[in-house]
Amino acid sequence: YPEPDDLPSIGVPELIADTSLADGCYHVFIDAGSNRGVHGRFLFEPHLYPKSKFVHKFDEYFGTNRTLQNICVFAFEPNPYHNKSQSTTQAAYQRMGWRYHYMPFGVGDENGQLTFYRNYDFVGGATHEEWGFSIHFHDGQSTTDQAVKVTVIDLSKWLQDVVLSRKIPQANEYDGDRQPTVIMKMDVEGSEYKTLHHMLEEGTACQIYKIIGEMHPDTAPQVVGGVEYKTKEELKGFQQDLLVRLRKGENCHGFDLFDDEEYLHDGMPYPEPDDLP
């Protein structure tokens, strides 16, 4: 396999260090493993995505009559394949006054750099927006032009420093009695085990009102918290323990296993400021 030092570096350290990034955000949506970023679009433009099940999650936690200017999205996606679509979404939404932040790195239990694999042939990755992009290399495929060196952040520390410590604005007439809320979608192709375990150990997992997403026991073997889970069955056992801790821990709100790939390829037009009322 290619060694990480032989690969180009991808990362924006100054963006990681900006602890004021979430100041002024009343509600926050963290999209960890956002692919081309369509879930952020579900939040800001739900009328374009009538078949999305995730839209109802936003309605439940942020309200149906929400002010878009005080909601922030942080879209974590380390795959450079999605740089164009993510950057286009960010630029279009900035013109609208909407706070969509493209975060071009992965999430984990510590800061550093890791080798990711594009896994083109894994469950149709090449034709499904490279949805198998992962630190786990799936057997039976060539590593040629698949390895990418990416920056990974300690998500727990970033949450504490940026989101959970943010300066929260006053509620407006649309927020009413609804409290400031942070929700997270997590679909990180196996990195969820180390990330969630670390978040639980550090006390940040239960400060997120709701975590929604997928888990991937087929990425065994893995070492989490110093323990090796060699098989899919062993990793599924650890997964169940994680889910119980996320559900029963003090102030925890659980992890909802949920997936919405209805608009995987997106393709919807972007708004223009003239479209605002």
Side-chain angles (χ1 to χ4, degrees):
Y1 296 359
E3 291 297 323
D5 290 343
D6 298 332
L7 300 168
S9 289
I10 297 171
V12 190
E14 61 273 17
L15 190 58
I16 300 172
D18 186 353
T19 57
S20 66
L21 206 56
D23 286 354
C25 305
Y26 193 77
H27 299 308
V28 175
F29 171 51
I30 299 151
D31 191 357
S34 61
N35 199 262
R36 62 179 296 128
V38 71
H39 284 74
R41 300 202 68 190
F42 293 165
L43 171 60
F44 287 112
E45 302 178 272
H47 60 284
L48 294 180
Y49 305 95
K51 295 181 181 180
S52 168
K53 295 176 289 185
F54 212 95
V55 166
H56 302 297
K57 298 289 185 181
F58 293 131
D59 291 345
E60 178 181 357
Y61 299 121
F62 297 154
T64 55
N65 192 23
R66 50 188 178 259
T67 303
L68 299 180
Q69 280 74 16
N70 70 358
I71 299 178
C72 297
V73 173
F74 295 94
F76 287 89
E77 179 49 59
N79 190 347
Y81 176 79
H82 297 300
N83 179 70
K84 182 178 180 179
S85 59
Q86 287 276 1
S87 298
T88 300
T89 298
Q90 178 174 260
Y93 283 0
Q94 283 179 343
R95 291 194 296 270
M96 301 295 291
W98 302 340
R99 297 179 65 177
Y100 181 100
H101 298 278
Y102 168 37
M103 312 293 281
F105 29 79
V107 300
D109 60 347
E110 60 182 351
N111 293 333
Q113 291 191 319
L114 291 173
T115 301
F116 276 61
Y117 298 95
R118 285 191 157 132
N119 294 309
Y120 292 119
D121 299 324
F122 179 64
V123 291
T127 56
H128 289 81
E129 303 294 347
E130 295 195 7
W131 61 7
F133 190 74
S134 170
I135 59 173
H136 297 278
F137 180 77
H138 294 275
D139 292 337
Q141 304 164 59
S142 169
T143 57
T144 303
D145 197 32
Q146 285 209 357
V148 180
K149 184 180 179 182
V150 305
T151 297
V152 175
I153 67 161
D154 179 340
L155 182 61
S156 181
K157 185 178 189 307
W158 182 86
L159 286 169
Q160 187 61 60
D161 292 347
V162 178
V163 174
L164 300 177
S165 302
R166 73 192 186 280
K167 297 176 182 178
I168 302 174
Q170 292 290 322
N172 59 37
E173 59 181 307
Y174 300 103
D175 297 318
D177 296 329
R178 191 176 293 275
Q179 295 299 306
T181 302
V182 179
I183 67 171
M184 178 188 298
K185 188 212 89 189
M186 181 172 282
D187 186 5
V188 290
E189 303 303 322
S191 294
E192 64 271 13
Y193 297 107
K194 285 185 177 182
T195 304
L196 289 170
H197 173 75
H198 184 58
M199 288 174 61
L200 282 163
E201 293 295 304
E202 295 295 311
T204 53
C206 297
Q207 296 185 66
I208 307 301
Y209 188 77
K210 181 63 70 173
I211 306 175
I212 306 158
E214 296 184 67
M215 291 192 172
H216 305 83
D218 58 338
T219 56
Q222 287 204 44
V223 177
V224 183
V227 178
E228 184 177 12
Y229 301 94
K230 297 181 179 179
T231 67
K232 179 178 179 179
E233 289 68 29
E234 289 180 354
L235 195 53
K236 285 182 75 172
F238 175 69
Q239 173 178 307
Q240 288 305 114
D241 290 341
L242 269 183
L243 292 174
V244 169
R245 292 172 66 193
L246 287 165
R247 185 174 69 252
K248 294 188 175 181
E250 185 177 359
N251 299 319
C252 282
H253 301 276
F255 184 107
D256 288 355
L257 292 169
F258 187 90
D259 185 29
D260 184 358
E261 306 287 359
E262 185 66 43
Y263 294 94
L264 178 67
H265 303 294
D266 196 1
M268 297 299 175
Y270 286 101
E272 294 294 338
D274 291 344
D275 298 333
L276 290 172

